Amino acid sequence: MGKARADKLHQVKFYCRLCGHKFEAEPERIEESPDEPWHPWRYFAACGQCGEESEQAYWERNLLKAWARATGPQTDEGKAATAANLEGHPTPEEAKRTRFNAMTHGVYARTATYFPAKPGKYPHCQTCEYFNNGCDEDPPPGQRNPPACMKRAELFMKHQVAFETKDPGLLLNIRSDVQAALQAIVDDMILAITASGVELRSPEWYFNPQTGEAGIVEYTDWETGERRTVHKITAHPLIKPLVELIQKNNLTLADMGMTPKVQEEQDLVRGTLEQRENDRQAAESYRSRQTQLLEDLRGQIQRSQARVERDPVLIEHQQNEGG
Ligand SMILES: [Zn+2]
Ligand SMILES: [Zn+2]
């Protein structure tokens, strides 16, 4: 994480939980927040309307989190886009400070073209943390909602940062949420199919366009003489979309490496690996025996040298030589 990301913000959006006032101001109090390494500062300012000390708007805090996890633009386009956002901010110091605010501004503008703020009108609104908690159906007098859906703005910010840094890992939690939701749909479909049966029986009916007569197709059982209804049997209509969903989402047995054929192949590979491991161990023990032999040999040579050096004739000879 670059140092620029940990710089304190000088202009912060606040949200008063007491009276619902939204305002932008310089923080009056800054607290250290070491538990949030992605931006270890928390900002406070007095509400201009009711005087209550307010904290940084939590939707801006969430955007800050999405932004600060990245290391900054890596691609030329990314850098150019950031530079364009910063035009009109002369000093690098000021540029650093306003970088997040500039990017937030851009993200909201682009999000608004697809998802303008429509509190209560999107399917996700009912479970949205911001709904009537900053993104209000009936905003307090003088208060406006942000221009775009705040939840969608977070999605846009995460994607922009991930694409700029070319780091798909930043989108991992979004992907896993989608996967979990798809799995839940698959589960529901299976439950619905098993509850009503894989085959559906419905009475066969007919319509005669000449006479306008319509009715259920019946016949007489010649053994008992009873009237019986002809039934049409169809596959449960959810089976087809279920299979399609499973195939397109790569959830088949083959995709998960669970088919009998794949299992056999894996056993084969495992067998080969085990054999290789045995070979490796055999080679290892051979090598260590060799090392032992060499060590023993070295010991023998040293011992024989020592014997030679202690030899009285040799010692005398060396002394004579002045050695
Ligand atoms: Zn207030
Ligand atoms: Zn929303």
Side-chain angles (χ1 to χ4, degrees), residues 16 58 134 157 254 278:
C16 175
Y58 66 126
M157 178 67 97
N278 290 342

Side-chain angles (χ1 to χ4, degrees), residues 15-23 46-54:
Y15 175 50
C16 175
R17 296 259 187 184
L18 204 65
C19 73
H21 183 41
K22 295 170 197 147
F23 57 103
C47 170
Q49 208 165 262
C50 73
E52 179 81 6
E53 185 174 68
S54 313

Side-chain angles (χ1 to χ4, degrees), residues 151-167:
K151 216 61 209 167
R152 291 285 186 253
E154 277 168 34
L155 209 57
F156 273 59
M157 178 67 97
K158 276 184 190 155
H159 276 80
Q160 177 167 343
V161 168
F163 275 78
E164 275 181 5
T165 56
K166 299 205 161 166
D167 181 1

Side-chain angles (χ1 to χ4, degrees), residues 8 11-12 32 40-41 54 58 74 81 110 152 174 182-183 195-196 201-202 252-253 272 299 306 315 322:
K8 289 175 199 163
Q11 198 70 18
V12 174
E32 278 189 40
W41 314 104
S54 313
Y58 66 126
Q74 306 287 307
R110 271 176 293 119
R152 291 285 186 253
I174 301 173
L182 279 176
Q183 187 61 53
S196 45
R201 296 165 67 88
S202 53
T252 64
L253 288 179
T272 313
I315 291 169

Side-chain angles (χ1 to χ4, degrees), residues 26-257:
E26 270 186 42
E28 288 166 6
R29 192 164 70 79
I30 299 179
E31 241 178 44
E32 278 189 40
S33 180
D35 292 347
E36 297 170 300
W38 42 271
H39 191 84
W41 314 104
R42 284 193 163 266
Y43 305 99
F44 302 87
C47 170
Q49 208 165 262
C50 73
E52 179 81 6
E53 185 174 68
S54 313
E55 205 175 326
Q56 180 178 24
Y58 66 126
W59 51 87
E60 193 184 68
R61 188 90 198 146
N62 285 339
L63 269 187
L64 189 56
K65 189 173 180 178
W67 174 76
R69 280 195 187 281
T71 49
Q74 306 287 307
T75 64
D76 288 343
E77 306 92 82
K79 283 175 187 157
T82 310
N85 276 343
L86 294 175
E87 261 169 46
H89 301 290
T91 68
E93 185 56 28
E94 197 186 349
K96 249 196 248 170
R97 271 188 240 146
T98 49
R99 196 161 162 203
F100 168 68
N101 288 342
M103 207 157 152
T104 304
H105 188 78
V107 162
Y108 267 122
R110 271 176 293 119
T111 309
T113 62
Y114 298 96
F115 304 103
K118 278 192 207 166
K121 303 269 169 55
Y122 291 119
H124 67 260
C125 287
Q126 299 308 320
T127 52
C128 179
E129 60 184 312
Y130 305 128
F131 182 45
N132 285 336
N133 238 328
C135 181
D136 305 312
E137 276 176 306
D138 198 6
Q143 304 304 318
R144 276 188 305 147
N145 289 323
C149 167
M150 303 175 193
K151 216 61 209 167
R152 291 285 186 253
E154 277 168 34
L155 209 57
F156 273 59
M157 178 67 97
K158 276 184 190 155
H159 276 80
Q160 177 167 343
V161 168
F163 275 78
E164 275 181 5
T165 56
K166 299 205 161 166
D167 181 1
L170 293 168
L171 301 175
L172 211 61
N173 61 341
I174 301 173
R175 293 282 86 84
S176 67
D177 288 355
V178 169
Q179 208 53 36
L182 279 176
Q183 187 61 53
I185 292 173
V186 166
D187 291 352
D188 283 352
M189 283 169 124
I190 292 172
L191 279 177
I193 292 168
T194 47
S196 45
V198 290
E199 53 167 54
L200 298 181
R201 296 165 67 88
S202 53
E204 190 68 280
W205 58 279
Y206 69 91
F207 174 69
N208 187 335
Q210 263 95 51
T211 60
E213 188 194 3
I216 301 242
V217 181
E218 286 179 331
Y219 68 98
T220 308
D221 188 327
W222 59 270
E223 268 183 355
T224 61
E226 278 175 61
R227 292 288 287 165
R228 291 189 190 276
T229 309
V230 174
H231 279 96
K232 192 171 68 180
I233 297 174
T234 49
H236 197 293
L238 278 179
I239 290 178
K240 206 174 161 221
L242 173 69
V243 170
E244 271 173 14
L245 189 55
I246 286 176
Q247 279 174 342
K248 295 214 171 107
N249 198 31
N250 298 348
L251 286 173
T252 64
L253 288 179
D255 294 316
M256 293 187 284

